[in-house]
Amino acid sequence: MNPSRFLPRRLRVPGLLALSAAAIAGWAAMATVAGSMSTPVPEDRRRATPAALPDPAWRRRQGAFTPVPDPAQRQAEVERQQVRVYAEAMWNAIQQFDTGKALPSDKLCFEDDGSLSRTDYTFIANIGAFVWSVLGARELGLIGEEAARQKLLPLLDAIATLQDQAAAAGAPGGMLAWAAKVDGPRIDNGTISSVDNAWLAAGLALIAESSPALKPRAEALLAKMDFATLLNADKGQFYNNYDLGSRAFSGGTYDLMTEGRFISYLAIGEGHVPASQYFRVERWPWWRGQDNPAQFRQYEGVRVYEHTVTYGAHRFLPNWGGSMFETFLPFVLIPETQWAPEAWGRSHPQMAAAHVRYGLDNFGYWGFSPAMIPATRGYTEYGAPPLGIGGYSPLGQDEGARAGAVVTPHAVFLPIELEPTAALANLQKLRQHFPGVYDERYGFRDSVDVGTGTVSQCMLLLDQAMAFGAMTNYLTDGGLRRYLGNRYAARLRPAMAQEVFWYPQ
């Protein structure tokens, strides 16, 4: 197991989807009801020319006017219905990771004999991901309040046990070890991962904000976690990890705006570090050149070099590997576009559009992000190189993965609020050309090699949860983001609102 799985490596398509029978039947029923409620139009009025008719308001009052649905609204409704279908199937899949043991598994695979196999280990980031999935299911009405509570309560017991075990092993600041056995639970690794602990802490904060009955326990566990203990004071950046064996931090820090920025959001929001820490993370690395004086700005006393790059007509802030989750995973829980309108509010839509363009231009499909290697059940990073600084390959970083470009559905779902039509068209094309990538009961598999047609027979909990969280926000107008948005607004929003990414005049 490699901690780099969750760490960055460093150390509008036109056309509607086919309408479902249910949607067509629904509209037909609406039209029938509307017709049955209409008042018959007098013969003389039926023969009148449009110019001779009274004004439209009179016609509405007389029941002679039936409004025609707006095509854009009709398309949006069809898209929402399709996303709902996908979300329900994905929730079915996410529940399969929970076997009634202490923790949900990290990976499940569909075997040739029809059985499901699951890992006996998980990663602590999966705990946070499972929490937001449960809350998303509650937001969508897939489960009720009590059912959600019953799924969350055992997680608190498991976290408490793992936290005590890690503390006894020498973990700093109430942090948990990176991996754990699902049965027990018990720690299964000697690494303390900063970003994984941030996602776990987010799970505790989400429980505290969403469940009054569980709030005291969640707050007590969260209170033991101090992210200031993971900070490199000289750089003002968070260490990647801490090794329990050597009792030492890694040399590397989260120095770029990858998904690791979520540690800053969490630590600032919980009051562990000042808001200025967010600006100590570089937007553009010094070793790539910071030679335009116009791009320097100062926030909270920190001098920041703002820089954006272009792909085609789109300009955005690059991440490290050019992958989807590095940019869009924090957006599942934090209202970045709302809180930073001149930064993420400009960049996120452009980054999403650039991913669509890159994939279609080069492979006919888009959606590149770390995922399973379809042919081997291994795992590696995938990305769109022009959209990153380091640039993962769409063929995969693992040399054994280099057959064809690998698309992962979670990367298609992540920006669905920004590119719904393009996302659904891409998913539909994947289903048409690679039928094994989707089944009606459990939804999408983790990845597909669009060069060879090989489909992964497995799913990863984190990938399913990312996609499910994005769909929940799409269907509920940002429902998942409201929890931490309410909790962190006072401390975090004022800092984020200051930032202006650099764009040429």
Side-chain angles (χ1 to χ4, degrees):
M1 295 181 294
N2 183 354
S4 69
R5 173 173 161 181
F6 297 107
L7 312 178
R9 181 163 300 183
R10 175 79 182 278
L11 331 177
R12 236 149 259 270
V13 178
L16 280 170
L17 294 173
L19 298 181
S20 67
I24 294 172
W27 288 339
M30 292 172 63
T32 301
V33 173
S36 68
M37 295 175 64
S38 300
T39 303
V41 182
E43 180 69 15
D44 59 339
R45 295 209 178 274
R46 289 202 300 268
R47 294 175 179 172
T49 64
L53 290 174
D55 64 90
W58 183 90
R59 297 180 70 198
R60 292 189 186 93
R61 290 195 298 273
Q62 298 304 308
F65 181 82
T66 301
V68 178
D70 178 80
Q73 292 179 343
R74 184 167 56 197
Q75 175 172 340
E77 181 56 33
V78 171
E79 292 175 347
R80 288 179 65 83
Q81 291 178 12
Q82 182 61 74
V83 173
R84 175 78 187 198
V85 169
Y86 286 154
E88 290 180 3
M90 194 160 286
W91 172 241
N92 288 340
I94 290 171
Q95 292 187 92
Q96 302 309 306
F97 290 86
D98 182 6
T99 61
K101 297 181 180 180
L103 294 169
S105 296
D106 171 65
K107 177 171 67 177
L108 66 80
C109 297
F110 297 80
E111 305 300 343
D112 293 339
D113 63 1
S115 64
L116 291 178
S117 62
R118 302 171 181 83
T119 60
D120 64 352
Y121 63 85
T122 196
F123 301 97
I124 61 169
N126 287 330
I127 303 176
F130 191 75
V131 170
W132 79 61
S133 297
V134 170
L135 297 183
R138 191 183 70 177
E139 290 275 341
L140 297 177
L142 301 177
I143 60 173
E145 181 73 32
E146 180 58 22
R149 191 182 74 83
Q150 291 300 323
K151 289 182 179 294
L152 297 176
L153 182 59
L155 297 179
L156 295 174
D157 294 335
I159 293 170
T161 298
L162 293 173
Q163 193 173 50
D164 289 344
Q165 291 176 5
M175 301 296 151
L176 280 69
W178 173 60
K181 291 290 188 180
V182 300
D183 192 5
R186 60 188 186 278
I187 60 174
D188 190 38
N189 187 270
T191 299
I192 304 299
S193 163
S194 299
V195 72
D196 285 72
N197 271 282
W199 294 116
L200 176 126
L204 289 170
L206 287 167
I207 292 173
E209 293 299 309
S210 66
S211 180
L214 302 180
K215 181 180 177 68
R217 289 199 65 196
E219 293 284 15
L221 292 169
L222 189 55
K224 294 181 179 179
M225 303 181 75
D226 182 4
F227 281 84
T229 62
L230 306 180
L231 192 69
N232 180 311
D234 293 333
K235 292 183 178 180
Q237 299 165 355
F238 290 101
Y239 285 107
N240 289 344
N241 49 62
Y242 178 87
D243 184 78
L244 290 174
S246 64
R247 300 295 177 96
F249 285 102
S250 62
T253 58
Y254 284 97
D255 55 355
L256 289 172
M257 280 285 137
T258 65
E259 85 288 351
R261 68 187 183 275
F262 190 79
I263 314 172
S264 298
Y265 293 158
L266 191 290
I268 294 168
E270 295 294 335
H272 300 169
V273 298
S276 60
Q277 189 280 324
Y278 178 60
F279 298 109
R280 300 290 295 273
V281 183
E282 291 188 289
R283 277 57 176 163
W284 182 253
W286 61 268
W287 46 268
R288 287 290 296 269
Q290 297 182 353
D291 52 6
N292 184 350
Q295 292 180 229
F296 281 103
R297 296 191 173 96
Q298 187 158 308
Y299 314 101
E300 302 285 337
V302 181
R303 194 166 182 249
V304 178
Y305 191 78
E306 301 282 10
H307 187 75
T308 51
V309 301
T310 60
Y311 180 81
H314 309 294
R315 193 168 190 100
F316 47 86
L317 185 78
N319 56 42
W320 170 248
S323 70
M324 279 290 201
F325 100 110
E326 291 177 88
T327 289
F328 293 109
L329 177 52
F331 185 47
V332 171
L333 298 183
I334 300 294
E336 292 179 308
T337 58
Q338 178 185 354
W339 287 4
E342 295 301 317
W344 300 114
R346 293 188 69 177
S347 182
H348 276 349
Q350 294 294 303
M351 174 66 96
H355 268 282
V356 175
R357 190 73 273 147
Y358 172 81
L360 294 180
D361 285 348
N362 292 280
F363 306 101
Y365 307 88
W366 59 274
F368 305 110
S369 197
M372 296 199 68
I373 303 169
T376 69
R377 298 192 179 186
Y379 184 90
T380 193
E381 295 90 350
Y382 300 94
L387 282 55
I389 297 167
Y392 299 144
S393 169
L395 306 181
Q397 296 302 101
D398 186 317
E399 291 296 328
R402 293 178 179 274
V406 171
V407 169
T408 177
H410 83 261
V412 183
F413 281 113
L414 275 171
I416 198 165
E417 293 176 276
L418 306 170
E419 291 282 352
T421 302
L424 291 173
N426 193 45
L427 293 166
Q428 180 69 5
K429 187 161 62 169
L430 289 170
R431 291 177 60 184
Q432 289 173 344
H433 294 171
F434 315 105
V437 78
Y438 182 81
D439 74 61
E440 299 291 339
R441 185 176 182 184
Y442 295 126
F444 288 94
R445 301 296 191 262
D446 194 66
S447 58
V448 55
D449 185 323
V450 298
T452 67
T454 304
V455 173
S456 172
Q457 292 308 301
C458 302
M459 295 177 174
L460 293 172
L461 176 53
L462 183 60
D463 291 358
Q464 297 291 305
M466 284 192 275
F468 186 71
M471 285 191 282
T472 299
N473 281 324
Y474 172 81
L475 292 169
T476 62
D477 193 25
L480 274 182
R481 286 192 288 267
R482 284 193 283 272
Y483 295 112
L484 298 190
N486 291 336
R487 186 179 180 94
Y488 296 158
R491 291 191 176 108
L492 181 58
R493 183 174 186 171
M496 295 180 65
Q498 300 175 51
E499 188 162 24
V500 179
F501 288 169
W502 182 81
Y503 285 79
Q505 298 298 318

